[in-house]
Each structure stands twice: as structure tokens, then as C-alpha cells.
Amino acid sequence: MNARGPLLALGGVTIALAACGAQSSTSSRTASLHPPRPAARQAATAAIPAGDWPQFNFTAQRAGVGPNDTGITTADVSRLRLRRVTLPGVDDGSAIELHAIAIKGRRRDVLIVTTTYGRTLAADAATGQTLWEFTPSDIGSYQGSARITTATPTADPDRRYVYATSPDGVVHKLAVATGRQVRSGGWPVTVTFDPTREKLASPPSIDGSSLIVVTDGYFGDTPHYEGHVVKIDRATGRIEAVFNSLCSNRRVLIDPPSLCPASDSAIWGRAGAVVQPSGDILVATGNGAFNGSTDWGDSVLQLSPNLQLLHNWTPTDQQQLNAEDQDLGSTSPALLPDDLAVQGGKSGELNLLNLNALDGTTGPAGPRTGGQLQTISAPGPTAVFSEPAVWTSSAGRTYVFVADAAGTAAYVLGADHRLNVAWKDSTPGTSPVIAGGLLYVYNEIGGAIEIRRPADGAQLASLPVGTGHWSTPIVVGGRIILPTGGSIADNAGSGPLDIYHLPGR
């Protein structure tokens, strides 16, 4: 993009944007040549519903379906304008938003993000003003290094606290109103004994009164590390249960990880732990040993609420996936109706699974491989690093939206419990989301937020933003919010947060 910034034509109106490389103060450019009169503007603003987007992909089921009404419709995308906020680091996940939070004497819609070195900050969504910032006390020991976190923060259901991770292997409980860290009971909580090798890449999940956190390894897979799932009591910070995907017979954090002879089996999909409506938990593991008894590399694992292993699905080519660095767990399971799930992976395939018989039987977890209902190509097909979005239309049709570096596609679930391609094209993307009946996909390679009609994929708008890596938009309260600038390294000292908003928002 040139120094003057791109020009975007929407419905006959041209929007001038600040240059994507700019590191100046928050900017906002109008999208209307004839702004509405003040009274009309106030009425239009009042009609836009406020709302929350409290965690990655909106809920712990990770369907990627947000509010039914965001205030943004096909008729008014041309009214969107850009507000750019400069963050003190790169956010390679997504923001969350909580509406009408009392901070500094007034109620505001508040954005909360975590940057790659564990800085978590709150900003006023309407102005971009920083309201508070939490910085880990030991940030100087890893800032600028390859030790990072890419986990989206997760808001407590009571909206008083937010949970955020840092590269020292710690989960922090922060007050939403002030950013102050809770230091009582077990908080903050350490979930790995070797944060130099075990990474917190995926967002925490809320499961009843508990928080679920998963671990993985760093780029290059330096041993020893083990992917594991940790369940934390949100009130006390007490670790309630641990599941290790290697040496799973050991039910505690392994200290140090090298005491387990096997290594890897990272849990690093964008969605982390996916909580089923029943309370059972799904995770997908990456490369690692598999023996069907204690080691569960390249598998989908179904855990009970207390992290007992119930079932597994392991592809028949698990050994080949492991040998060729084709992590099954490059993405997390996506829940569909009728107790079905979709699992992608680096192999560029999507596997449709029956959650009541993951390996094709109703027996317990074990060494059996295969048993999927269907295998179908991903959009590229190329490695899938994004989380699918699952949406049921007003006509009752269930769609699965998947984006990768080579394309975006919609699959429709048939009555025969098989997926068929509804539409696809070659536009790349990260994790899609549905909000207000529209599909939003971040083209991280081309630098644009693509807005589409979900059922047929027709493009309604393409909003220029910076390029990136894994980040994902959220859409709520008349705003589209997206951090950009991420990369594999993610060690930049600053990065942009782009907010496309309706006038007055």
C-alpha cells in the first residue's frame, strides 16, 4: 500500500484511509460525503444495539456466530469508517468487547486485547483511548524473543474479570474496571513448569465455574514439551484437573516436562478447548507419539468435564502425519448439529466425525484408528490453521465456513450427514465469523476484511486493512474490530487495531 493509503469504493462512496504502516495516534475518516444531521445521527446511533463479544468465536462452543443484530446490514456497509488504534505490541488473536462498563467515571463499550508479550489493555471502543494496561512483571526476560502468546483474552460471565495469558506460562485474572491483577487464592495460575518450551497459544475457555487452558510448543518444536489441558476454578485459582496428551496416565503437571519420555502432541488450534453443550470437552493434538493408551498425538480427544479421556478419533495415517509434520491439531474441532464435528489439519482435509462414536464404535478411547463419516478437501486444499464457523440459516440449513491460505468455502450439511460444497473461491482467510446474518473473513494475505452473504458467498464489501497472520475480526455494536500486523515471529513493538464503525460508534 502506498503512503497516501488505499481508496475503497463502497456503494458509490469513496473512503480515504490512513496508510497501513502509520504509527500515529488514533485516526477516523468519514465514510459519508453528506453526514446526517445531528438529530438524525443521534437517532441512528441509538438504534444500533450494544452487545458483548466475550471470548474467541463468541462462545465456548466456538461456533463463530455472534449477535443476531450488530447494526451493520447490507444497506449500510457504505457508511462504515475507519478508526485506527496503535497497540503497544501485536495482537495475533482477536479482541473482545464488553458494553457499558464503568471505567473512570463513565460507562463505555470496552475493547480488551492481549499482545504477544502478554500486555493486556482495555480501550474505549468509541475513541480508541487506552483506559488501562496490565504488563507482566517479568516481561523484560522475554520481550523481543521468540517466547510469545497468541491467546485471545476471555471475559468472565459476570463481566467483572478477564482472563489473559503471558509467555511465562501464567494465566492472569484481571479486573475489567481497573486492569488490576487478582492476587488471592491460587491467582495468578502457572500452567507449565517450562514456559521456555511450552507455549500458551490458544484462548482460555469457560466451562461452568471453571476456566480451561491448553498448552503447546514453540515454532521449531524444541523438545521436551507436552500438550496438556488444565482446568482451573475461576473463583479460587485452584487447579482442579490436568490431562496430559502424552503420559496421560499422569494426572498432574509434569515437572519438568522432560520426565515424560515422549514429546510434542501440542494443543494449539485457534479455538483451544471446545466445550460441548453437554459439558464434555474436545481438543485436537498435533504431531506426537500415539499408542492408544497413554500417548495421543494427532488425535481428536473427547474429555469429560473432569478431564477424563472418554473417546478418541485418530486418522489411519497418523504415523505419516507425525513423520511429515502434518499436525492434525493445526485447527480445533468445530461442533455441528446432531452430535457431529468437523476436524481439519495441515493435510488440507476436513473430516466429519460422529461424537457418539468417534472411532466408528461406542467403546472407550483406545488404539483403533479411522472411523470418520466423511473426508472432504479443504478450500485450497492446503493446511488449515483457522477455526471453521458453523451457522444454521433461517431456512434450517447448516453451513460450515472454512478459510485457508488458498481459498474460502462454504459446505452445507445434508440430511445424510455428509458435507457438500455450497460455494468456494480463491480468496484466502483466517477464522470466519457470522454476525448480524453476514459473513466476515479476514484476508490476511491481501489485507482486507471481506463481507459476504453467507448462503451464496456474494461479496458485499472489501474493507482495506493491514496484512497479518492469525487474527480474526469481531462484529458487535456497529463495529468491526480487527487487530492486524501479525507474523510468524510476532515480535514487533507495536501493531494496529482497526475499527470500522458506523457513524457515532
Side-chain angles (χ1 to χ4, degrees), residues 3 40 66 165 184 215 227 290 353 395 441 462:
T165 64
S184 63
T215 69
F290 172 78
L353 309 176
V441 184
S462 182

Side-chain angles (χ1 to χ4, degrees), residues 282-373:
L282 293 176
V283 296
T285 62
N287 300 325
F290 172 78
N291 61 16
S293 59
T294 60
D295 296 340
W296 306 94
D298 288 307
S299 298
V300 172
L301 306 177
Q302 186 179 46
L303 307 173
S304 71
N306 64 355
L307 303 190
Q308 296 288 334
L309 180 59
L310 301 175
H311 305 287
N312 68 292
W313 175 75
T314 306
T316 56
D317 59 350
Q318 186 275 335
Q319 290 186 359
Q320 180 180 349
L321 295 179
N322 185 26
E324 297 179 356
D325 189 29
Q326 295 293 301
D327 298 59
L328 180 75
S330 66
T331 181
S332 305
L335 298 175
L336 277 67
D338 300 331
D339 290 325
L340 302 177
V342 166
Q343 178 62 42
K346 281 188 183 178
S347 67
E349 294 179 331
L350 305 174
N351 291 281
L352 184 63
L353 309 176
N354 178 356
L355 294 176
N356 296 318
L358 272 175
D359 64 359
T361 76
T362 57
R368 179 184 173 89
T369 60
Q372 66 269 29
L373 298 175

Side-chain angles (χ1 to χ4, degrees), residues 41-66:
R41 184 186 305 120
Q42 291 173 6
T45 300
I48 299 172
D52 292 346
W53 193 295
Q55 56 187 304
F56 178 84
N57 267 23
F58 198 64
T59 68
Q61 284 72 54
R62 308 300 200 206
V65 179

Side-chain angles (χ1 to χ4, degrees), residues 261-472:
S263 180
D264 298 19
S265 191
I267 302 172
W268 62 287
R270 286 288 75 215
V274 177
V275 181
Q276 296 181 237
S278 66
D280 290 340
I281 298 158
L282 293 176
V283 296
T285 62
N287 300 325
F290 172 78
N291 61 16
S293 59
T294 60
D295 296 340
W296 306 94
D298 288 307
S299 298
V300 172
L301 306 177
Q302 186 179 46
L303 307 173
S304 71
N306 64 355
L307 303 190
Q308 296 288 334
L309 180 59
L310 301 175
H311 305 287
N312 68 292
W313 175 75
T314 306
T316 56
D317 59 350
Q318 186 275 335
Q319 290 186 359
Q320 180 180 349
L321 295 179
N322 185 26
E324 297 179 356
D325 189 29
Q326 295 293 301
D327 298 59
L328 180 75
S330 66
T331 181
S332 305
L335 298 175
L336 277 67
D338 300 331
D339 290 325
L340 302 177
V342 166
Q343 178 62 42
K346 281 188 183 178
S347 67
E349 294 179 331
L350 305 174
N351 291 281
L352 184 63
L353 309 176
N354 178 356
L355 294 176
N356 296 318
L358 272 175
D359 64 359
T361 76
T362 57
R368 179 184 173 89
T369 60
Q372 66 269 29
L373 298 175
Q374 180 189 15
T375 299
I376 190 171
S377 292
T382 186
V384 179
F385 296 105
S386 59
E387 180 66 7
V390 180
W391 173 71
T392 300
S393 71
S394 58
R397 304 186 80 191
T398 295
Y399 293 83
V400 180
F401 302 97
V402 181
D404 58 30
T408 302
Y411 305 81
V412 65
L413 180 67
D416 59 353
H417 286 175
R418 297 296 184 270
L419 294 172
N420 296 286
V421 176
W423 57 262
K424 68 176 181 178
D425 66 19
S426 59
T427 306
T430 63
S431 303
V433 296
I434 296 275
L438 301 178
L439 174 66
Y440 296 82
V441 184
Y442 171 40
N443 176 351
E444 80 284 18
I445 298 173
I449 301 171
E450 312 292 353
I451 307 178
R452 301 172 179 264
R453 284 200 308 251
D456 61 11
Q459 187 183 75
L460 303 174
S462 182
L463 308 179
V465 291
T467 57
H469 184 221
W470 276 338
S471 53
T472 306

Side-chain angles (χ1 to χ4, degrees), residues 68-124:
N68 289 328
D69 189 354
T70 66
I72 301 173
T73 68
T74 57
D76 58 20
V77 291
S78 63
R79 299 171 60 227
L80 293 167
R81 49 187 175 179
L82 178 65
R83 177 179 301 122
R84 174 157 292 165
V85 179
T86 299
L87 302 175
V90 173
D91 176 4
D92 200 5
S94 67
I96 63 173
E97 179 173 327
L98 300 175
H99 79 283
I101 298 293
I103 299 182
K104 296 185 176 181
R106 51 177 287 214
R107 292 198 174 273
R108 317 162 187 258
D109 292 347
V110 177
L111 304 178
I112 303 175
V113 301
T114 298
T115 64
T116 53
Y117 292 116
R119 281 192 174 91
T120 297
L121 62 91
D124 188 320

Side-chain angles (χ1 to χ4, degrees), residues 179-196:
R180 293 193 183 97
Q181 177 168 219
V182 173
R183 288 190 174 276
S184 63
W187 291 107
V189 183
T190 296
V191 294
T192 172
F193 290 113
D194 189 356
T196 67

